[in-house]
Amino acid sequence: MIETLRVEPGKKAEIAHRDPADTLGTDGKDAGKKRLETLHEQLGLLHDRLYAEGRHSVLLVLQGLDASGKDGVIRSVLTGLNPQGCRVVSFKAPSSTELAHDYLWRVQAVLPARGEIVIFNRSHYEDVVAVRMLELAPEQVWKRRPDHIREWERMLSDEETTIVKVFLNVSEDEQRRRLQERVDDPEKRWKFRKDDLKVRQRFDEYVGAWEDVINATSSEWAPWYVVPADHNWVKALGVAELLVDALERVDPKLPDPEPGVEGLEIT
Ligand code: AMP
Ligand code: MG
C-alpha cells in the first residue's frame, strides 16, 4: 500500500491521476479505524524506543492545499505519540527577522533533536510553491530552491534524520465542501480567510506547482508520498502507516540496562 502512495524518485507524481477518494484497499471505514488503532499502538512503542535510544530523529513534512486536513492528521497521529518526544511546528508567512536570513534558517532551527519526532505543518516547501504562486520572489530564486532542498535533506538523512514527506491530496469538490463548512460553522469560522478563495480559484495551478516540486525533490533519502485526503479516516490511516513504516526501518533499540540491574529485587 505504501508503495502505491510513494512518488518514485525520478518518476512523476501524476497527482491529477490519483483518486483523492481512494480508500487504500481497506475493507471500509470500520476496518480502517481498527487498523488505525493497531498502528497507533505500534507508533507508541516504536516512539518510546526512538526516544530511549536517542540516536535517530524523524521528520514528518505535511503539505496540502487549504482544507486538505493537515490539522486533523496531526491530531490523529499525536494520539499515538509520547508528547515528551515530539513537537509540531506550523509554518506561516515568514516574519521580517526570518526574511532577513536564508529561507532554510528558520527551518534548521526547529528540526528534530535525536530521539524526537517533529511534524511540520507546512514547511520549507512553501518557500518554493507559495513564493512561486504569490510571486514573492523572481523565478530564478524559487527555481533553484528544489536543488538546495534535495541536498540539504540528503545531509539531514546522512545525519540520522528519517524524512517522510506527505502531500494530502484533496479534490476540488471536497475542498469546496470543507471551506463551506468553515464559513457555516461558528466553531470553524476563525480558520477561514477570504484569501483562501483566491488560492482556490487557482486550484489546478497550485496542484501543478506542487507536482513540479514533488517531482524534483522525491529522493531515495527523502521520498514524497501522495495520500488521498477526501476521507478523513483514510488520510489518518495513510499517514500512520507511513510513520510506522519509517520507524520500523529505523528500528530503534532500547539502551542496555546498567550491569546488575536485571533480576534486582527492590526492598
Ligand atoms: P495556515 O496554514 O492556514 O495557517 O496558513 C499559513 C499561510 O502561510 C499559508 O497561506 C501559507 O502559504 C503561508 N506560508 C507559509 N510558509 C510560507 C513561506 N515560506 N512563504 C510564504 N508564505 C508562506
Ligand atoms: Mg488557512
Side-chain angles (χ1 to χ4, degrees):
M1 183 259 266
I2 285 170
E3 297 74 56
T4 65
L5 305 179
R6 189 178 156 100
V7 178
E8 285 306 323
K11 299 221 173 110
K12 302 227 178 306
E14 307 213 77
I15 297 172
H17 293 134
R18 293 173 184 255
D19 180 9
D22 192 83
T23 53
L24 304 177
T26 51
D27 229 354
K29 189 170 174 174
D30 288 345
K33 287 200 158 169
K34 274 233 170 71
R35 170 83 186 135
L36 189 59
E37 272 174 36
T38 310
L39 287 169
H40 282 164
E41 272 168 34
Q42 282 178 284
L43 255 183
L45 193 73
L46 286 160
H47 186 204
D48 280 345
R49 289 189 191 158
L50 185 90
Y51 184 74
E53 188 188 46
R55 264 189 64 198
H56 302 273
S57 41
V58 174
L59 175 62
L60 173 67
V61 170
L62 275 182
Q63 290 283 178
L65 301 192
D66 290 319
S68 57
K70 300 183 286 295
D71 295 346
V73 163
I74 291 169
R75 198 181 304 223
S76 171
V77 159
L78 282 181
T79 60
L81 300 178
N82 173 358
Q84 282 215 89
C86 91
R87 264 184 303 127
V88 179
V89 183
S90 297
F91 289 94
K92 310 286 179 188
S95 68
S96 55
T97 308
E98 288 166 347
L99 284 172
H101 296 266
D102 70 87
Y103 67 99
L104 290 175
W105 179 77
R106 68 171 181 169
V107 189
Q108 185 82 43
V110 292
L111 286 171
R114 296 183 197 282
E116 242 186 340
I117 298 180
V118 166
I119 303 172
F120 278 2
N121 181 353
R122 304 185 189 268
S123 67
H124 44 296
Y125 284 95
E126 297 286 344
D127 292 290
V128 183
V129 175
V131 168
R132 169 180 175 177
M133 297 303 287
L134 302 172
E135 298 183 33
L136 302 175
E139 179 168 346
Q140 74 206 45
V141 171
W142 57 260
K143 266 232 154 133
R144 60 194 178 204
R145 289 183 173 174
D147 282 342
H148 307 151
I149 290 173
R150 275 175 70 87
E151 291 309 311
W152 179 72
E153 289 176 346
R154 190 207 294 268
M155 178 277 287
L156 296 179
S157 161
D158 287 347
E159 297 286 324
E160 316 281 6
T161 299
T162 295
I163 307 173
V164 178
K165 301 184 294 197
V166 171
F167 181 77
L168 294 175
N169 186 23
V170 72
S171 68
E172 204 170 347
D173 201 47
E174 179 60 19
Q175 188 199 47
R176 183 194 53 71
R177 211 190 53 72
R178 290 183 190 168
L179 289 176
Q180 186 67 58
E181 198 176 311
R182 282 189 187 173
V183 171
D184 296 344
D185 182 348
E187 289 295 323
K188 293 186 177 169
R189 209 167 287 150
W190 65 274
K191 267 195 183 186
F192 188 81
R193 295 262 169 279
K194 282 200 254 170
D195 274 354
D196 293 347
L197 294 181
K198 288 191 197 144
V199 174
R200 175 168 163 77
Q201 274 170 3
R202 303 168 72 195
F203 190 96
D204 290 340
E205 249 185 287
Y206 267 88
V207 173
W210 279 108
E211 167 99 28
D212 287 347
V213 77
I214 288 170
N215 292 345
T217 57
S218 200
S219 57
E220 291 298 342
W221 55 91
W224 274 101
Y225 299 87
V226 178
V227 173
D230 274 11
H231 298 295
N232 287 329
W233 62 273
V234 174
K235 67 185 191 208
L237 185 64
V239 172
E241 293 275 9
L242 292 172
L243 260 189
V244 167
D245 174 70
L247 282 162
E248 279 178 343
R249 278 183 288 116
V250 170
D251 192 19
K253 301 274 192 290
L254 294 173
D256 287 335
E258 273 179 54
V261 167
E262 214 181 321
L264 194 71
E265 271 203 41
I266 313 291
T267 54

